Amino acid sequence: MGPPVLAAAPDGGWGWLVALAVFLEAGLIFGVIRSFGVFFVEFLGHFGELAGRVSWVTSITIAILLFASPVGTALSTQYGARPVVMAGGFLSGLGLAPPPPPPPLTHLYLSIGLLSGFGGALVFAPSVATLARYFKRRRALATAVAFSGPGLCSLAFSPLFQFLVDSYGWRGGLMIVAGMTFHLMACGALLRPLALTEDLALAPAPQRSWLAKLSSLFGLALLSSRPFLTFAVSGLLMNLGYLVPFAHLVPHAREMGFDEYQAACLMSMTGATDLCGRLVAGWLDARRAFRLLHTLTLWTLLTGVTLLLVPFGHTYPTLMAIDLCYGFLAGAVVPLKFSCLVEIVGTGRILEATGLVHLLESFGALAGPPLSGFLRDVTGSYTVSFIASGTFLIVGGLVLFTVPNFCSCSTTSPPKQSGDPDDAGNLTRHNGDHPCDGKT
């Protein structure tokens, strides 16, 4: 017997335990990735490779995590989020376990990049979609709280990873990090299924061909939605620059002459202000002072500006101040993106939409850090790398201006599918959700 069908999202209750699960998952996935700059420095020395080649370890991890997200959401549609997320947690921990010496750099591409990244894809997208289904009025607040995991974990992980490397070497430190990551399996156990009446309205009609079944399972009809595609292209451009500081801020600080613990402290403080930014973003949305899409655009543009300022941080206090601003602004971008995605496609399509938007964003995640590393190898410093990353974020923010009805208080519904109650392109209003409801 399945779970009882609810007329609307409970907006709390067990949803807060789901938020706790996503909080821990986000910390154990993205908190580790953000703090991986400590291991990046060790990889440079151990393998004797250029920064561009070593950057592929982090880049492949994030790219596979995003690229394989439709697989995670499709499997969750078929089998439920709980078993899929638990399986992904096992693969993530297994991929981070260090191989026997001496491993070639390509082995890390396959283990940390491919295996751990695929495990993360099975964990994150289904969990975020499950969280979105448990909340409506408090969705942005719950998402901000859940997504504060990377910021809080980054606060502790950067100095912790440096301590582990100093005490046990990069191989021993990586083994301990792998053990921590296996706790993703316990997080997956908290994802209780939830059935809503909206699911009945969106139930697909029987499909005759296997191609039609796959299209329905992966939500490919969303690719015909201009608002969705515009939003996804913006996310792709953002990812070209957004992820660069997590891979190269620590090496940049080391090149500036700061010691390893000063460099690690930069990422730690980024985590602290990242946490504040996410919570402030959730609080602002709860007050409904602005439309989510407008807030996301503003914070994205400001994040790009702070990255342009990183090369001007010639002293440690100046670099720390820029780093604190970056962490605060960048922290709000991720929860706002997911809340805006629900605004664009609706709760009933959020599972498929999350997978597809991650797929499209993966190309930016794959190219961003290696491009930054290549620019560093060519120029001899990270100055051009941070200027390029900031530019990508600004362009991504400007693309959001082209989302249909951007200047309106209305949102566009996804294209009509079998069972959808509205026609494609119809405008829907969130009654009482935005302060400008009823205005033209």
Side-chain angles (χ1 to χ4, degrees), residues 10-101:
D11 228 22
W14 190 267
W16 291 114
L17 286 178
V18 176
L20 173 63
V22 178
F23 171 89
L24 296 173
E25 290 167 359
L28 290 172
I29 294 175
F30 294 101
V32 169
I33 291 174
R34 287 181 171 202
S35 305
F36 219 70
V38 173
F39 289 100
F40 181 89
V41 175
E42 299 299 319
F43 292 160
L44 284 175
H46 179 81
F47 294 105
E49 296 282 358
L50 295 174
R53 289 200 64 192
V54 177
S55 296
W56 281 102
V57 176
T58 303
S59 186
I60 292 174
T61 303
I62 301 172
I64 294 298
L65 192 157
L66 298 175
F67 187 81
S69 288
V71 177
T73 55
L75 290 174
S76 297
T77 301
Q78 192 74 15
Y79 303 106
R82 180 179 286 169
V84 173
V85 171
M86 293 180 71
F90 175 77
L91 293 177
S92 293
L94 188 64
L96 283 172

Side-chain angles (χ1 to χ4, degrees), residues 185 213 287 292:
M185 299 174 66
K213 291 179 180 178
R287 294 176 61 87
L292 279 175

Side-chain angles (χ1 to χ4, degrees), residues 102-385:
L105 182 60
T106 52
H107 190 288
L108 297 186
Y109 294 163
L110 297 176
S111 60
I112 298 177
L114 184 61
L115 187 59
S116 182
F118 182 72
L122 298 184
V123 170
F124 194 64
S127 298
V128 170
T130 301
L131 176 65
R133 291 168 56 80
Y134 267 91
F135 291 90
K136 184 177 181 181
R137 184 174 58 87
R138 299 175 179 173
R139 183 182 294 127
L141 179 60
T143 304
V145 171
F147 280 25
S148 63
L152 193 60
C153 289
S154 297
L155 183 62
F157 282 176
S158 287
L160 172 63
F161 289 0
Q162 188 65 57
F163 171 78
L164 293 177
V165 168
D166 291 343
S167 301
Y168 306 105
W170 70 265
R171 196 181 303 277
L174 204 56
M175 179 66 75
I176 296 174
V177 174
M180 295 165 52
T181 306
F182 278 117
H183 287 82
L184 290 170
M185 299 174 66
C187 297
L190 291 174
L191 302 182
R192 176 186 291 177
L194 177 68
L196 301 173
T197 53
E198 183 178 353
D199 302 333
L200 303 178
L202 293 171
Q207 305 290 344
R208 295 183 177 180
S209 69
W210 64 269
L211 190 60
K213 291 179 180 178
L214 284 179
S215 177
S216 176
L217 194 61
F218 286 94
L220 297 184
L222 287 168
L223 296 178
S224 64
S225 167
R226 182 188 165 194
F228 174 80
L229 280 180
T230 305
F231 188 82
V233 169
S234 172
L236 187 156
L237 292 169
M238 290 182 201
N239 272 13
L240 281 169
Y242 185 88
L243 302 169
V244 168
F246 305 122
H248 293 155
L249 184 58
V250 170
H252 170 69
R254 295 288 296 275
E255 284 191 353
M256 295 286 292
F258 308 121
D259 63 47
E260 60 270 22
Y261 281 96
Q262 284 181 312
C265 185
L266 285 172
M267 289 310 303
S268 181
M269 295 310 296
T270 298
T273 53
D274 176 285
L275 173 63
C276 296
R278 291 172 190 246
L279 295 177
V280 168
W283 176 78
L284 286 175
D285 181 63
R287 294 176 61 87
R288 298 290 177 179
F290 305 98
R291 183 180 165 191
L292 279 175
L293 190 59
H294 300 161
T295 307
L296 172 63
T297 303
L298 175 62
W299 289 57
T300 301
L301 293 174
L302 292 176
T303 302
V305 171
T306 59
L307 284 180
L308 295 178
L309 296 176
V310 168
F312 297 96
H314 300 299
T315 64
Y316 191 72
T318 304
L319 185 59
M320 176 63 78
I322 297 171
D323 177 64
L324 293 176
C325 292
Y326 168 77
F328 181 80
L329 295 168
V333 170
V334 175
L336 286 173
K337 277 174 62 179
F338 282 103
S339 296
C340 283
L341 184 59
V342 180
E343 182 181 273
I344 289 175
V345 304
T347 307
R349 299 296 181 191
I350 187 59
L351 188 62
E352 300 94 331
T354 301
L356 284 176
V357 80
H358 278 173
L359 170 64
L360 297 175
E361 289 179 351
S362 67
F363 297 102
L366 182 64
L371 175 61
S372 174
F374 170 76
L375 292 174
R376 186 269 171 203
D377 293 334
V378 171
T379 63
S381 74
Y382 287 99
T383 297
V384 177
S385 300

Side-chain angles (χ1 to χ4, degrees), residues 415-428:
K416 184 175 181 179
Q417 302 186 31
S418 178
D420 281 358
D422 297 319
D423 294 331
N426 281 356
L427 295 180
T428 59

